[in-house]
Amino acid sequence: MATSSTGFSDQGLRRLREVLAGHVESQKIPGLVALVSRGGHSHVEALGTMRHDGGAPMRRDTIFRMASTSKPVTMAAAMVLLDECRLRLDDPVDPWLPELAGRRVLKRPDGPLDDTVPALRPITVRDLLTSTFGLGVDFESMASPIRAATFERLDYSVASGPAPDPDEWMRRLGELPLQYQPGVRWQYDLSNEVAGVLVSRVAGQPLETFLRERILDPLGMKDTAFHVPADKIDRLPPLYGPDPQTGEFTVWDQAAGGRSSTPPAFQGAGGGLVSTADDYHSYFRMLLNHGMHGSERILSRTAVELMTTNRLSPGQQAARDTMFGGVAHLSCGQGTSGGWGFGMAVRTTRSDYAPIGQFGWFGGTGTTAYADPANQLTGILLTQVGLSTPDSPRAMNDFWTTLYQAID
């Protein structure tokens, strides 16, 4: 691959492969697929095997559970509705999500669930899209009563079993008070799930159906969905969560017969997608191209700008900085890049090798995908190793560090 045509140096790409191969050879990461692109040219590495004990090799078209790396893609469905004026940023969500009308709010974030005051205003569309509607994951209050109640009623992670249908899930959410007044504090994850239900109800069809018609099919993202059909299940590796003490591989989710092998009752916008490196490359290239895919417009230029620039106030920003700064030593700095747009992080500070303006996110199943407008660069690294140990975050860190050195 000639340097002049790819935008990467040959030596840099060799070094990238060596660094990624080192993670596989360490036997901490059984396999991975990495895709890097710049200026319309892409380079792919598929290393290692699907299983920790060997077996089929990783391939370019291996399908991965994207976890929270789903967020930047599913949020595009909400942006379509904003573009079409079927949603407005500062409209209350009550007409579509009546379960969230008339909210009560805890007097103290860590207080008892029955010690509440009325919400000062309704929850708006903007609150959901910016993750500031008043509930969510907050590492500062993991021992609080509201965190325990939220986890008990609404969690559907690997450890918790499948979620109910969206109406039942929303009913459970509606029984809880908010932890903060709407719009006050940035909190992680839960707002994306609620936004997915909002999209479904406004569109009048399941989230996946609307997402497929408006985003996935136009972009050719044929392997992106909320489950893996039987004729593709051989392309899905097991998901591992290494034991934090011993590092021994524990299967979080099998391929055939596992959670990703059947359509879920709840299509989780916050973390439910499965996908491939090439599908995600198509999506992030569309964002770099200001909403265009070839000659077809997928999102308006201004919708892309809203998604991919910081939307947080200084107060909201401070809470986010504190939250991820407190776990940077565990996550190798993943998530500490500054601001938040709609459904994704936006770098507002130069804290490592990536420049200000880079946008994207990472997932708890060992996935990361970001685009960088300044360098017209996209990077995607997909593994089958969850973040129960620092092994996949370290691989992500080394991927980005080495990729930026490879720019010619």
Side-chain angles (χ1 to χ4, degrees):
M1 299 177 70
T3 299
S4 59
S5 67
T6 67
F8 300 105
S9 71
D10 290 341
Q11 180 182 5
L13 291 177
R14 284 196 299 271
R15 175 70 180 142
L16 178 67
R17 179 183 175 87
E18 289 169 4
V19 167
L20 294 176
H23 283 280
V24 173
E25 290 160 6
S26 75
Q27 299 187 331
K28 304 288 189 183
I29 307 283
L32 57 84
V33 177
L35 186 153
V36 300
S37 78
R38 191 167 182 237
H41 298 274
S42 60
H43 176 86
V44 176
E45 299 285 358
L47 304 172
T49 55
M50 301 270 279
R51 300 185 58 86
H52 79 91
D53 50 2
M58 281 287 181
R59 304 186 332 200
R60 179 170 183 159
D61 67 350
T62 295
I63 297 172
F64 293 85
R65 302 161 187 81
M66 300 305 291
S68 285
T69 316
S70 303
K71 290 175 170 66
V73 173
T74 57
M75 191 56 68
M79 304 313 292
V80 170
L81 295 175
L82 287 173
D83 275 347
E84 296 179 347
C85 299
R86 297 162 72 183
L87 282 177
R88 300 176 190 87
L89 282 172
D90 294 307
D91 273 359
V93 299
D94 300 3
W96 304 287
L97 303 174
E99 298 93 341
L100 296 184
R103 290 292 76 206
R104 304 288 298 182
V105 183
L106 294 178
K107 286 184 181 178
R108 297 197 336 267
D110 59 350
L113 299 183
D114 57 357
D115 190 15
T116 63
V117 296
L120 297 176
R121 64 164 176 80
I123 295 166
T124 65
V125 174
R126 187 187 301 273
D127 296 330
L128 291 182
L129 301 193
T130 56
S131 294
T132 60
F133 86 104
L135 267 181
V137 177
D138 196 327
F139 295 155
E140 292 181 42
S141 57
M142 295 299 275
S144 64
I146 186 62
R147 172 58 186 159
T150 304
F151 188 84
E152 177 188 355
R153 287 168 172 79
L154 304 176
D155 186 73
Y156 63 99
S157 63
V158 172
S160 305
D165 66 77
D167 291 348
E168 170 60 15
W169 190 88
M170 285 299 304
R171 187 194 68 77
R172 296 179 187 181
L173 174 60
E175 293 177 342
L176 297 172
L178 301 181
Q179 189 174 14
Y180 293 93
Q181 290 285 345
V184 167
R185 188 177 177 92
W186 187 90
Q187 293 176 286
Y188 187 53
D189 193 51
L190 192 61
S191 61
N192 296 93
E193 308 290 20
V194 182
V197 180
L198 175 67
V199 166
S200 175
R201 290 184 177 178
V202 173
Q205 54 191 159
L207 172 62
E208 183 170 14
T209 304
F210 185 72
L211 190 67
R212 183 160 306 288
E213 289 176 359
R214 305 306 297 273
I215 303 294
L216 303 180
D217 283 352
L219 289 173
M221 297 173 68
K222 62 184 183 300
D223 291 320
T224 303
F226 285 100
H227 83 289
V228 182
D231 61 349
K232 298 180 181 180
I233 200 72
D234 62 313
R235 292 162 53 195
L236 179 74
L239 173 62
Y240 296 108
D243 184 282
Q245 273 70 51
T246 66
E248 181 180 353
F249 283 107
T250 301
V251 176
W252 274 355
D253 189 40
Q254 288 286 5
R259 294 183 54 162
S260 296
S261 66
T262 56
F266 186 87
Q267 296 171 352
L273 289 180
V274 296
S275 192
T276 63
D278 279 296
D279 276 13
Y280 259 63
H281 180 224
S282 180
Y283 180 77
F284 276 86
R285 286 298 304 170
M286 179 271 291
L287 295 182
L288 282 180
N289 291 331
H290 312 289
M292 295 295 292
H293 177 67
S295 60
E296 184 176 2
R297 180 159 290 287
I298 307 298
L299 295 173
S300 70
R301 187 185 190 100
T302 43
V304 173
E305 289 170 356
L306 275 173
M307 294 175 76
T308 61
T309 53
N310 187 29
R311 307 261 57 87
L312 301 185
S313 70
Q316 295 165 350
Q317 183 70 57
R320 186 184 185 284
D321 291 344
T322 299
M323 175 173 165
F324 279 96
V327 296
H329 63 294
L330 299 174
S331 64
C332 301
Q334 305 301 318
T336 58
S337 59
W340 193 258
F342 289 166
M344 66 187 87
V346 182
R347 287 186 181 261
T348 55
T349 56
R350 186 70 187 254
S351 59
D352 54 28
Y353 282 70
I356 291 172
Q358 186 203 46
F359 55 81
W361 198 229
F362 72 104
T365 50
T367 61
T368 180
Y370 285 83
D372 168 3
N375 291 292
Q376 285 296 296
L377 177 148
T378 304
I380 297 155
L381 176 67
L382 307 177
T383 82
Q384 79 275 59
V385 178
L387 272 59
S388 54
T389 66
D391 295 313
S392 53
R394 286 172 179 155
M396 294 179 201
N397 181 90
D398 296 352
F399 168 70
W400 291 111
T401 298
T402 316
L403 173 56
Y404 273 101
Q405 295 175 67
I407 294 176
D408 181 48

